[in-house]
Amino acid sequence: MNESEMKMKLKLGVLDLVPKLPETTAEAALEQAIRLARQAEERGYLRYWTAEHHDMEALASAAPEVLLSAIGAATRRIRLGSGAVLLPHYSPLKVAENFRLLAALYPGRIDLGIGRAPGGEAHASMALSGNFLERVGRYPQLAKELSDLLADRYRYEDHPVTARPVPQLPPELWMLGTNVKSAGYAAELGTGYVFGQFMSDSDGAEVLRAYRDTFRPSVHRAEPSAMLAVSVICAETEARAEVLAAQAAEGFRARGGAPFQGFSGTAKQVLEQLGNLQQKCRNDEFLIVSLIPDYEERLLSYQLLAEASRVEKL
């Protein structure tokens, strides 16, 4: 793939873990999330998604739907989504209501991404929803109920129940995961699928192939659509990017995360790496997560990548 082809084909979004860096407050971390979303919109990123985590000192987003409401008010066009709402913890009806309300507030801009991870340590998960292992075993049924609610065909004890308000433009339903099993769930329900490349040892090409091969058209989507969530660190020089990548890796390990898996370098180098990955995996879009432990450097990384890729303005 030559440089001009990559610039035309790469579609980029932001996945924000909402880091609360050392010596900062939760309020400052949330201000930085809004700042990142605004810049992403200005630079032509297609989506801003935020994650859900619980009782993690270094992360400040436990309720994506609340943060997305604030970010929707601070932006105008960029799509807003959850990466992901951890469905085993919640009632599908309440999740559908939350995101239909967001879709009514911000028409044509809302993505509902769901996942089945606990999002925190065992005691936090139990405090949130009881026996998480039992509930995660019900994930396929919970996802089916959520799908039915968004399609206005849900019944409880044979009585129709509607998730209200009902927006004119519904939220897009996506499923997130890190393996073939999650890809299978997304294919069966006919939703979009996001593969978490930055936190998985699975082969992304194999996972997305399984999703496409078994996809069933649905009320949500007529054809398969896939994104890769990848970790990216861009800097003005390769040497600076290497320093930032080392810092990010150390911080990720300190929080109990897996070894750093991602792309680092100048924006041009990273763009080429993403283009090669897209050729291999045939994904439609990328969600870019940055683990840089400095807010200004993180903003610059997203800026450099957007400028290099010439993402078309919304």
Side-chain angles (χ1 to χ4, degrees):
M1 179 180 292
N2 61 44
E3 186 175 347
S4 62
E5 288 175 324
M6 286 189 292
K7 289 178 179 177
M8 286 192 303
K9 294 183 179 180
L10 289 185
K11 296 180 180 180
L12 305 179
V14 170
L15 174 58
D16 189 5
L17 303 185
V18 194
K20 190 184 85 64
L21 301 181
E23 310 303 323
T24 64
T25 64
E27 290 83 353
L30 293 168
E31 288 174 2
Q32 291 295 332
I34 294 172
R35 187 180 175 202
L36 173 58
R38 282 175 168 160
Q39 177 177 288
E41 181 173 78
E42 291 171 1
R43 300 292 179 184
Y45 283 88
L46 301 176
R47 306 176 194 267
Y48 172 92
W49 283 23
T50 184
E52 175 185 337
H53 294 92
H54 299 282
D55 193 20
M56 290 191 176
E57 184 178 0
L59 301 175
S61 180
E65 61 275 18
V66 176
L67 179 55
L68 292 177
S69 187
I71 288 178
T75 55
R76 294 181 299 161
R77 300 178 304 275
I78 193 168
R79 291 195 68 91
L80 309 172
S82 53
V85 167
L86 304 178
L87 188 58
H89 289 307
Y90 307 115
S91 154
L93 175 59
K94 187 59 177 174
V95 173
E97 289 174 337
N98 285 343
F99 278 79
R100 278 190 158 183
L101 178 54
L102 283 170
L105 286 168
Y106 307 112
R109 297 178 59 193
I110 300 301
D111 301 323
L112 169 51
I114 59 173
R116 61 193 183 104
E121 299 296 333
H123 285 87
S125 296
M126 289 187 289
L128 184 62
S129 61
N131 188 331
F132 182 78
L133 290 179
E134 177 183 334
R135 293 182 65 84
V136 80
R138 295 182 54 231
Y139 179 73
Q141 179 59 33
L142 294 172
K144 175 64 165 56
E145 291 176 11
L146 178 60
S147 172
D148 287 346
L149 282 159
L150 294 177
D152 290 318
R153 60 189 182 201
Y154 177 78
R155 304 182 73 85
Y156 188 87
E157 294 184 348
D158 205 32
H159 184 83
V161 175
T162 301
R164 301 184 187 276
V166 180
Q168 291 184 324
L169 297 173
E172 283 190 4
L173 184 58
W174 294 79
M175 197 169 290
L176 286 77
T178 57
N179 52 43
V180 171
K181 179 181 286 189
S182 59
Y185 292 151
E188 183 176 357
L189 284 181
T191 73
Y193 180 65
V194 182
F195 175 65
Q197 176 87 45
F198 74 101
M199 55 182 179
S200 176
D201 293 327
S202 298
D203 183 338
E206 178 183 339
V207 173
L208 294 193
R209 186 182 308 112
Y211 164 69
R212 288 189 297 268
D213 288 349
T214 59
F215 180 85
R216 298 179 183 176
S218 73
V219 67
H220 305 294
R221 192 171 294 277
E223 297 179 349
S225 184
M227 290 191 268
L228 285 181
V230 296
S231 179
V232 165
I233 292 175
C234 289
E236 293 180 327
T237 68
E238 185 177 2
R240 181 58 183 163
E242 289 177 356
V243 171
L244 293 173
Q247 293 175 353
E250 179 59 33
F252 205 49
R253 283 195 297 269
R255 295 194 297 268
F260 176 75
Q261 301 179 58
F263 305 100
S264 62
T266 66
K268 184 176 180 180
Q269 289 171 328
V270 169
L271 188 64
E272 182 176 359
Q273 293 167 338
L274 292 178
N276 291 336
L277 181 61
Q278 187 180 52
Q279 274 195 314
K280 176 184 176 185
C281 295
R282 295 173 53 205
N283 55 299
D284 301 291
E285 299 180 37
F286 287 99
L287 281 179
I288 306 298
V289 60
S290 173
L291 304 175
I292 297 174
D294 180 278
Y295 292 129
E296 297 300 327
E297 298 268 21
R298 181 175 73 148
L299 285 173
L300 179 60
S301 178
Y302 281 110
Q303 175 185 332
L304 292 172
L305 184 63
E307 290 174 350
S309 61
R310 297 180 184 173
V311 179
E312 185 177 350
K313 297 288 185 180
L314 290 175

